[in-house]
Amino acid sequence: MKWTDILEIAIELEEKHGDKDNVNLRFTDLHKWVVGLEGFDDDPNKSNEKILEAIQMAWIDERG
């Protein structure tokens, strides 16, 4: 998975961290969770606020 795999990341986050509040989260936590996903294979430094926000929105939609 790469940072651009927004939907796939959101699905994996819901499976692994479904107990977390995905609306009121810190991007530092979200970054840590994404980088820690099995199959994530991208440069941890290539994320930015726009990417993390897109992942968060996709995760909220996935849960909804």
Side-chain angles (χ1 to χ4, degrees):
M1 266 182 298
K2 305 291 184 196
W3 286 111
T4 53
D5 299 319
I6 304 291
L7 184 56
E8 188 176 351
I9 289 171
I11 291 168
E12 291 294 319
L13 285 170
E14 183 60 22
E15 288 179 11
K16 188 167 184 182
H17 299 286
D19 61 327
K20 304 291 187 197
D21 179 356
N22 62 358
V23 175
N24 301 301
L25 54 76
R26 296 187 323 226
F27 281 164
T28 52
D29 289 336
L30 180 57
H31 183 276
K32 179 178 65 178
W33 297 334
V34 171
V35 172
L37 289 174
E38 186 175 325
F40 183 79
D41 184 30
D42 204 350
D43 183 347
N45 297 317
K46 286 191 174 181
S47 74
N48 58 43
E49 188 171 329
K50 182 179 177 182
I51 291 171
L52 292 171
E53 188 173 280
I55 292 169
Q56 180 187 21
M57 292 300 109
W59 187 7
I60 291 168
D61 288 346
E62 181 63 28
R63 184 172 293 175

